[in-house]
Amino acid sequence: MAEENISAIATPAGRGGVAIIRVSGKNPLAIAEKMFTPVGKTAVRDFSPYRMYAGKIDGGNFSDFGLCVYFKAPASYTGEDIVEFHCHGGENVARGILKQTFLHGARSATRGEFTKRAFLNGKLSLASAEGVADMINGESDAEVKAGYLLYSEKLTDRVNDAQNTLKNLLAGIDVSVDYPEEDIEEQHIEELKSSLLQMRETLKPLLDSYATGKKIKSGVTVAICGKPNTGKSSLLNKLLGYEKAIVSELAGTTRDAVEGSIEIMGRKFNLYDTAGVRESGDKIESIGIERAESIIRSADVAVFVADLSRGTDEEDGRVLEMLQGKPLIKVFNKTDISKDETETDADVHTSAVTGEGIEKLKKLLYEKSFGERSEDMAFLIERRHFDALKRADEALARAIFACESQPLDLIGIDVKEAWDCLGEITGETATEAIITEIFEKFCVGK
């Protein structure tokens, strides 16, 4: 437990109904005794934990009437004693009260220091702390939910189970090395190999989940593409629900990618209306087409838009060739002009004018990106976790290969490396540099 008290405003900057000033450390009650006068005869030193008390808060040049609550260690967020002042939400009110905590012995908390203390005091794992940040920064329901699953130790529990298995295998290796008998060692290596193979199979779904987790965290990149004047910009505007892209009957109006974001079933989709792909002698348009092709290559899903009233031609064919191997939705647009849908192999027919097919298009975007919904699966959403798990998997693969010809002590080196890599996720083996980098991404006050 830290010796010094730290203090910060725990609510966002700006005016609001309530602001919260949080103090954590060895003795925040001593600071509260100097700053808070409770209603009635109750003294601050006699406060019952986890109960709100009303009273006067000292802000230096002013007083405010608010609330004070005491969280007793170790049953607190940081694992230390915590006091919170809940005051009126004016910026100057909160700043004045914060300054008084400094005058009475607290220092300003650094970025993420409250959560860092929670980690150091064993209140949560490093992965759980990252889940807190993901919840705070989440831009979609799905990202907030994935952050909560991370915060609630879903990932940590699975990694801990794997680490415990590896720890038992390492203990068995040590015993066999200390008491070598040729026939026993050979049998042990076979059992070890079987356990390591099973471990890789257990971790594989978690590794594979990063493809989905990455899309949850960053959003699904959707390239709306096709030849010029098929209604791509109008379709983007209809999906977004407002006029984002310039719409014109003149082909080649979109010279650069226009983007916007929407939520579909709680998940974020980043839509890019790309320049119409065609042969062009216009230098500016050609640059836009090159950028469109770059976006198409990096997109998670492509929406190919053709004009239902004109049918398809060689230019449409060239665009479709670019999209081979990529999740694809074929849209035939402008049903308000043409109703002849019999000769097309469209996934959906749409009209950016009437809104026909827009909801079906959204549903298809979700299905192409995520398949069936999985509500409570702990996805890998952090690149750091994926890299650590990947290195653990590679170490396990080396250990399995070593079982063919190497003695137990050499196999144990790779098994120990796998254990260390998994520990980077939970924080058990994370370096100080990794820990510092993670908490520097937090805001002050959390």
Side-chain angles (χ1 to χ4, degrees):
M1 185 179 293
E3 291 295 314
E4 55 187 348
N5 294 310
I6 57 172
S7 181
I9 299 172
T11 42
R15 289 178 290 181
V18 176
I20 298 172
I21 296 87
R22 176 179 292 155
V23 187
S24 179
K26 184 179 180 181
N27 192 13
L29 271 178
I31 294 175
E33 284 182 340
K34 299 171 183 174
M35 293 182 56
F36 188 73
T37 306
V39 173
K41 298 181 181 180
T42 304
V44 170
R45 69 177 70 91
D46 298 324
F47 274 8
S48 297
Y50 325 114
R51 179 179 176 182
M52 289 284 195
Y53 291 87
K56 185 173 69 174
I57 308 172
D58 178 19
N61 295 325
F62 62 87
S63 294
D64 185 26
F65 190 84
L67 300 168
C68 182
V69 59
Y70 164 51
F71 301 92
K72 183 176 177 60
S76 69
Y77 180 71
T78 61
E80 305 168 342
D81 281 353
I82 294 178
V83 164
E84 288 182 355
F85 299 105
H86 295 229
C87 62
H88 289 97
E91 286 191 70
N92 287 330
V93 177
R95 287 174 184 168
I97 294 170
L98 178 65
K99 288 179 182 177
Q100 287 300 106
T101 67
F102 297 156
L103 289 175
H104 294 303
R107 67 161 174 82
S108 179
T110 59
R111 286 181 175 272
E113 190 169 2
F114 291 99
T115 305
K116 185 176 182 179
R117 288 189 176 197
F119 164 66
L120 295 175
N121 290 327
K123 300 298 292 184
L124 43 74
S125 68
L126 196 57
S128 179
E130 289 168 286
V132 173
D134 287 332
M135 289 180 67
I136 293 171
N137 298 320
E139 296 182 356
S140 68
D141 290 350
E143 190 177 350
V144 172
K145 184 166 186 175
Y148 176 75
L149 290 173
L150 195 56
Y151 168 63
S152 60
E153 307 286 13
K154 292 280 188 180
L155 176 61
T156 299
D157 289 344
R158 293 183 67 175
V159 172
N160 279 338
D161 287 344
Q163 278 195 292
N164 288 336
T165 299
L166 292 176
K167 187 184 294 183
N168 291 333
L169 293 178
L170 286 168
I173 290 172
D174 288 342
V175 170
S176 293
V177 170
D178 290 340
Y179 302 97
E181 292 183 32
E182 187 173 341
D183 56 338
I184 295 178
E185 179 169 335
E186 185 176 341
Q187 180 184 354
H188 189 182
I189 288 177
E190 285 302 313
E191 293 173 353
L192 176 61
K193 181 180 178 181
S194 176
S195 296
L196 294 174
L197 285 167
Q198 186 177 350
M199 173 68 67
R200 288 195 75 195
E201 285 300 309
T202 301
L203 295 178
K204 187 178 184 302
L206 199 55
L207 265 174
D208 293 343
S209 74
Y210 182 62
T212 297
K214 184 168 60 173
K215 288 185 284 189
I216 288 175
K217 185 174 178 64
S218 303
V220 179
T221 301
V222 179
I224 302 174
C225 48
K227 69 184 184 183
N229 212 20
T230 57
K232 298 185 298 298
S233 297
S234 298
L235 200 62
L236 173 74
N237 291 339
K238 199 68 178 178
L239 285 165
L240 294 176
Y242 62 93
E243 299 296 313
K244 174 76 173 185
I246 298 173
V247 176
S248 169
E249 294 182 2
L250 181 64
T253 299
T254 303
R255 300 298 184 95
D256 200 355
V258 180
E259 63 179 288
S261 296
I262 59 172
E263 266 194 44
I264 302 174
M265 297 173 71
R267 294 184 177 177
K268 184 180 177 183
F269 287 74
N270 302 313
L271 310 179
Y272 290 84
D273 169 26
T274 61
V277 178
R278 64 174 178 175
E279 296 294 330
S280 175
D282 185 303
K283 184 176 181 180
I284 301 300
E285 186 182 358
S286 295
I287 294 172
I289 292 170
E290 288 178 9
R291 291 182 178 176
E293 292 173 350
S294 175
I295 290 169
I296 290 169
R297 285 192 295 271
S298 63
D300 298 306
V301 180
V303 175
F304 167 74
V305 184
D307 185 340
L308 185 62
S309 66
R310 292 186 295 172
T312 57
D313 56 21
E314 290 183 3
E315 278 190 311
D316 292 295
R318 283 195 291 270
V319 176
L320 285 170
E321 284 181 12
M322 293 173 53
L323 304 177
Q324 288 184 355
K326 187 172 291 294
L328 175 66
I329 300 172
K330 292 181 182 179
V331 175
F332 277 73
N333 195 29
K334 303 188 181 181
T335 58
D336 54 294
I337 297 176
S338 173
K339 288 294 183 181
D340 183 12
E341 303 175 2
T342 58
E343 299 300 323
T344 69
D345 61 345
D347 295 306
V348 58
H349 293 84
T350 63
S351 168
V353 175
T354 67
E356 180 183 348
I358 297 300
E359 290 306 313
K360 182 177 180 181
L361 175 56
K362 289 180 180 179
K363 183 181 178 183
L364 287 171
L365 280 169
Y366 187 96
E367 290 174 355
K368 287 287 184 181
S369 303
F370 297 106
E372 295 182 4
R373 302 187 72 170
S374 181
E375 296 294 336
D376 297 314
M377 180 178 175
F379 296 103
L380 283 185
I381 59 175
E382 298 289 342
R383 178 75 196 192
R384 185 183 78 82
H385 299 164
F386 174 76
D387 289 341
L389 196 60
K390 186 70 174 174
R391 285 186 280 109
D393 181 68
E394 290 168 353
L396 290 172
R398 290 195 300 273
I400 292 168
F401 181 76
C403 287
E404 300 298 329
S405 59
Q406 300 296 325
L408 276 169
D409 54 346
L410 294 182
I411 298 171
I413 293 172
D414 289 319
V415 176
K416 176 62 165 58
E417 184 177 342
W419 185 90
D420 286 338
C421 291
L422 292 175
E424 290 180 18
I425 297 174
T426 62
E428 194 168 353
T429 60
T431 65
E432 183 61 34
I434 290 175
I435 294 170
T436 299
E437 181 181 352
I438 288 170
F439 289 106
E440 281 180 348
K441 297 176 183 177
F442 281 67
C443 58
V444 175
K446 189 55 182 175

